[in-house]
């Protein structure tokens, strides 16, 4: 069930409260409607992937109210500062190196060492960010594979056939002014790289910063976070679909099991919980000097598909090195 909430001070506050207490709510930004969750809450972030039915853990954009908040999570480069000063708040997301001490969920960044951050300009989005008092991970509020919603009714329409246990609400802020997602720029190096064209145009960008690297479709596929090379893979080899670990191996378990797990993605066999724990537990196990990490079988349904996709990539990468 999805509710449209009319716009007033109470509904803005309610949306902020819903998000800061670990649940999901959709709200308008100047680009498109976002499906927001507390970016520091693994379970809430996992619920985004589950609800959108994302086939993989494509990393999410983390929305913050100001540059100081962004600086808590990413390392700014000089060029990122120039871009931020020129185009924030606004329809631009910057991919930067993630700070080790960032509290943002590893699932939100798909286990990457980078993070996309954005300061939206929409007054409602800004009010929610200020009141929720947490960074908000927000992909477009539509089912994976559909076009992004630019009106509250689009959000309702996109999720009309989804049977969720929870009701979630869409705060109705009318039409999104930009109507196109934010421009995503990798601003880690000296020359920024355009990863996704969007609300801030190529001309606006080059006028301000002079050079902007475009990558070919082919290279983009490579750089795109869904691809192997940009995803986190542990140094320790992985063995998948293991029911009996060998000696020297650690077991990344799933579900109730008689074999003692080193870590268990979800003792109750809940895939949303498993998704929330995946990257975090892989990192923990990677530090334990194990011969290899044996991963218990995970059913390929719902989020299990994305979990298995990521595990397969992580395992293949080791084999290829
Ligand atoms: O306008 C927007 O950006 C909207 C509103 C709600 O803010 N959000 C949005 O999110 O479009 P989403 O999840 O639909 O798209 C996020 C894009 C994806 O193409 C993803 O691959 C890229 O940002 N992205 C996120 N984190 C990244 C990272 N660390 N490195 C490279 N690309 C990243
Ligand atoms: Mg989208």
């Amino acid at each position: 069930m999805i509710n449209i909430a009319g716009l007033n001070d109470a509904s803005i506050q309610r949306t902020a409260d819903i998000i800061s207490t670990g649940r999901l709510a959709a709200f308008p930004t100047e680009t498109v409607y976002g499906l927001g969750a507390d970016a520091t809450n693994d379970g809430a972030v996992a619920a985004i992937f589950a609800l959108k039915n994302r086939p993989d853990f494509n990393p999410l954009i983390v929305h913050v109210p100001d540059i100081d908040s962004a600086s808590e999570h990413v390392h700014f480069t000089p060029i990122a500062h120039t871009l931020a000063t020129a185009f924030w708040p606004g329809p631009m997301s910057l991919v930067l190196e993630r700070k080790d001490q960032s509290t943002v969920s590893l699932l939100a960044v798909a286990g990457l060492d980078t993070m996309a951050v954005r300061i939206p300009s929409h007054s409602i989005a800004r009010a929610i960010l200020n009141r929720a008092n947490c960074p908000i991970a927000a992909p477009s509020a539509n089912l994976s594979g559909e076009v992004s919603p630019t009106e509250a009714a689009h959000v309702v329409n996109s999720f009309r056939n989804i049977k969720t246990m929870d009701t979630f609400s869409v705060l109705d802020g009318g039409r999104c002014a930009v109507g196109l997602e934010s421009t995503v720029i990798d601003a880690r190096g000296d020359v920024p790289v355009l990863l996704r064209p969007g609300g801030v145009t190529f001309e606006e960008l080059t006028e301000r910063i002079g050079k902007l690297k475009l990558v070919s479709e082919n290279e983009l596929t490579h750089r795109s976070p869904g691809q192997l090379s940009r995803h986190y893979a542990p140094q320790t080899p992985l063995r998948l679909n293991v029911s009996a670990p060998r000696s020297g191996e650690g077991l990344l378990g799933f579900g109730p099991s008689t074999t003692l797990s080193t870590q268990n993605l979800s003792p109750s066999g809940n895939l949303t919980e498993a998704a929330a724990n995946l990257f975090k537990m892989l990192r923990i196990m990677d530090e334990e000097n194990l011969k290899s990490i044996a991963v218990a079988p995970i059913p390929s349904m719902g989020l299990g598909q994305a979990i298995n996709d990521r595990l397969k990539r992580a395992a293949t990468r080791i084999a290829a090195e």
Side-chain angles (χ1 to χ4, degrees):
M1 252 295 276
I2 307 168
N3 290 329
I4 293 190
L7 183 62
N8 53 50
D9 193 66
S11 60
I12 292 177
Q13 186 62 45
R14 202 155 46 239
T15 303
D17 291 343
I18 288 171
I19 291 173
S20 63
T21 52
R23 289 167 294 146
L24 309 185
F27 60 86
T29 82
E30 70 279 20
T31 58
V32 299
Y33 275 75
L35 179 62
D38 175 354
T40 66
N41 182 324
D42 289 320
V45 171
I48 287 185
F49 287 103
L51 189 61
K52 278 188 63 102
N53 201 10
R54 270 214 201 206
D56 58 23
F57 295 134
N58 204 1
L60 304 174
I61 294 170
V62 176
H63 299 70
V64 288
D66 47 47
I67 294 187
D68 279 352
S69 309
S71 302
E72 289 172 25
H73 303 287
V74 289
H75 292 284
F76 272 80
T77 55
I79 197 74
H81 262 297
T82 307
L83 285 165
T85 311
F87 299 108
W88 274 349
M92 174 186 75
S93 299
L94 295 178
V95 172
L96 293 166
E97 197 188 319
R98 183 168 57 80
K99 283 191 171 169
D100 282 344
Q101 68 267 34
S102 167
T103 51
V104 165
S105 156
L106 278 177
L107 179 60
V109 297
L112 296 169
D113 292 326
T114 57
M115 186 188 301
V117 286
R118 167 161 122 78
I119 302 177
S121 63
H122 197 294
S123 61
I124 299 173
R126 298 181 63 71
I128 293 169
L129 280 164
N130 282 314
R131 296 184 191 193
N133 211 15
C134 60
I136 298 180
S140 48
N142 53 275
L143 283 181
S144 181
E146 293 186 354
V147 292
S148 296
T150 53
E151 294 175 25
H154 299 167
V155 180
V156 175
N157 201 33
S158 185
F159 292 100
R160 69 191 177 282
N161 293 324
I162 296 292
K163 311 246 180 306
T164 50
M165 278 163 294
D166 290 329
T167 303
F168 83 91
S169 66
V170 187
L171 185 54
D172 191 351
R175 283 215 182 126
C176 301
V178 178
L180 190 78
E181 297 91 341
S182 64
T183 304
V184 181
I185 302 167
D186 183 342
R188 285 173 297 164
D190 293 336
V191 181
V193 182
L194 181 67
L195 296 180
R196 177 176 78 176
V200 175
T201 65
F202 180 77
E203 290 78 3
E204 287 169 324
L205 289 164
T206 47
E207 191 182 314
R208 187 62 68 137
I209 52 173
K211 47 201 172 168
L212 178 67
K213 196 170 169 224
L214 291 174
V215 287
S216 67
E217 198 64 37
N218 194 18
E219 202 185 329
L220 199 57
T221 320
H222 252 330
R223 295 182 74 109
S224 117
Q227 296 302 306
L228 197 64
S229 58
R230 286 177 63 88
H231 261 279
Y232 175 74
Q235 297 299 309
T236 317
L238 284 186
R239 279 202 317 129
L240 307 183
N241 291 314
V242 177
S243 26
R246 299 170 184 156
S247 84
E249 269 188 341
L251 178 66
L252 181 58
F254 177 80
S257 159
T258 45
T259 321
L260 198 62
S261 311
T262 314
Q263 296 284 332
N264 194 320
L265 290 167
S266 169
S268 67
N270 178 313
L271 288 166
T272 305
E273 186 187 18
N277 285 329
L278 178 67
F279 292 116
K280 194 168 57 187
M281 290 186 173
L282 280 175
R283 286 199 187 235
I284 292 171
M285 290 184 74
D286 205 15
E287 310 224 308
E288 289 186 1
N289 287 323
L290 299 162
K291 198 162 79 189
S292 48
I293 299 171
V295 186
I298 291 155
S300 265
M301 56 203 287
L303 280 185
Q305 221 177 326
I307 295 171
N308 283 324
D309 172 78
R310 283 294 163 268
L311 284 169
K312 204 170 78 199
R313 289 171 193 279
T316 311
R317 173 166 165 177
I318 294 296
E321 274 171 1

